[in-house]
Amino acid sequence: MNTIDKILENQQAWQELSSDDESAVQAAALASLSKCADALAVLSGNLRALGYSWVSSEQVPIPGLRSNIQIIETRTGLSIPGILVAFWERVGGISFVDLKDYQHVGFWKEQGIISPKGFADGLHLDICNDEWTASVCQDFADWQDDSNHDEMKSFLVSLSPDGYHKDHSSGGAPYGVFAESHWKPTWQNFVWSGTAYPVTALTDPPDFLSYLRTAILECAGFPALLGNPAFFSIKERLLQGVPLF
């Protein structure tokens, strides 16, 4: 069985689990996210070895994390999806893009790698720190005050800029999950935008864990570059030693 087949097998097993069987879904999610943390650690190291220095990760200590989640849930009356909490506990925040000076954009241009949409869509997931917590609470207050509030039935927990914004160009709505979801929330506002459509992307849009599995293990952290011939050899180097989950 080759690597893609194994990723696909894991993806199918996850998606076949019913959301109604919370204990089974939770157990599978926790096991996968622990391995996901290991995969991200190896992938991050491979990126740095390649000369790609715009990799950052950070964790909030568990007491602080739980306090921040409680603040959000108390102020909004909504629940943060369990899988997102588990991700923060095991991984924290992760970013493969430079959202301050956007220096990563030049790296891919130097490699001669340009995606159909003009961005790499590098992996980025916000950390649940004090600043992010305050931002989410403010977003919720603004959402409640919006004149179109009744048309927007669910509140989006924003977790990442979209692909355009990541590379400092005009873009659309941020990626995120709806607050009422639990262990299989859909990764909202996201589309697979590379030259090739991922083999392991079984649903469109994907749920949060399925997105992570495909974006990391098949796309090496840069979904919009998948299918570009110039990215192939780099992708193989980036995925060297990355454990599956």
Side-chain angles (χ1 to χ4, degrees):
M1 178 179 291
N2 63 35
T3 300
I4 287 293
D5 287 342
K6 182 59 179 175
I7 300 170
L8 194 57
E9 181 182 273
N10 291 347
Q11 198 78 296
Q12 290 170 330
W14 165 248
Q15 295 194 5
E16 286 171 1
L17 287 174
S18 171
S19 297
D20 295 332
D21 190 350
E22 186 172 334
S23 60
V25 172
Q26 179 177 351
L30 295 180
S32 292
L33 288 175
S34 294
K35 295 176 182 177
C36 175
D38 296 335
L40 282 170
V42 176
L43 179 55
S44 296
N46 290 348
L47 275 164
R48 294 188 182 99
L50 195 66
Y52 189 93
S53 58
W54 306 282
V55 178
S56 61
S57 60
E58 183 184 358
Q59 283 187 290
V60 173
I62 297 297
L65 172 62
R66 291 177 177 168
S67 175
N68 286 341
I69 292 169
Q70 184 176 20
I71 289 171
I72 294 171
E73 294 186 336
T74 298
R75 293 185 183 178
T76 66
L78 300 172
S79 297
I80 298 296
I83 195 165
L84 187 53
V85 176
F87 179 83
W88 283 324
E89 290 176 343
R90 287 155 179 75
V91 177
I94 184 75
S95 184
F96 290 169
V97 291
D98 173 15
L99 295 180
K100 180 181 180 181
D101 299 315
Y102 304 95
Q103 296 181 68
H104 67 280
V105 176
F107 177 88
W108 297 115
K109 288 183 178 178
E110 290 175 3
Q111 306 300 318
I113 303 174
I114 300 176
S115 74
K117 299 291 187 180
F119 56 75
D121 209 3
L123 183 70
H124 176 94
L125 290 164
D126 289 331
I127 186 174
C128 186
N129 56 18
D130 293 350
E131 181 181 2
W132 184 85
T133 298
S135 177
V136 169
C137 291
Q138 184 59 55
D139 285 348
F140 180 77
D142 293 342
W143 176 75
Q144 282 193 310
D145 291 339
D146 194 297
S147 60
N148 296 318
H149 178 211
D150 291 341
E151 298 176 11
M152 301 180 291
K153 296 181 180 179
S154 298
F155 172 66
L156 182 77
V157 179
S158 175
L159 293 162
S160 171
D162 76 332
Y164 288 104
H165 282 112
K166 287 176 183 176
D167 283 12
H168 203 208
S169 60
S170 61
Y175 304 151
V177 297
F178 288 144
E180 78 274 16
S181 304
H182 199 239
W183 287 96
K184 285 191 172 186
T186 297
W187 190 230
Q188 300 289 340
N189 300 322
F190 173 81
V191 295
W192 301 104
S193 54
T195 303
Y197 190 87
V199 174
T200 62
L202 301 181
T203 58
D204 193 4
D207 66 83
F208 180 73
L209 179 55
S210 295
Y211 162 75
L212 288 175
R213 184 176 284 119
T214 295
I216 295 168
L217 300 180
E218 186 174 353
C219 306
F222 299 90
L225 302 183
L226 189 69
N228 188 311
F231 183 59
F232 181 80
S233 61
I234 291 179
K235 179 171 72 75
E236 294 301 300
R237 292 168 64 185
L238 292 178
L239 292 175
Q240 189 68 36
V242 174
L244 305 184
F245 61 90

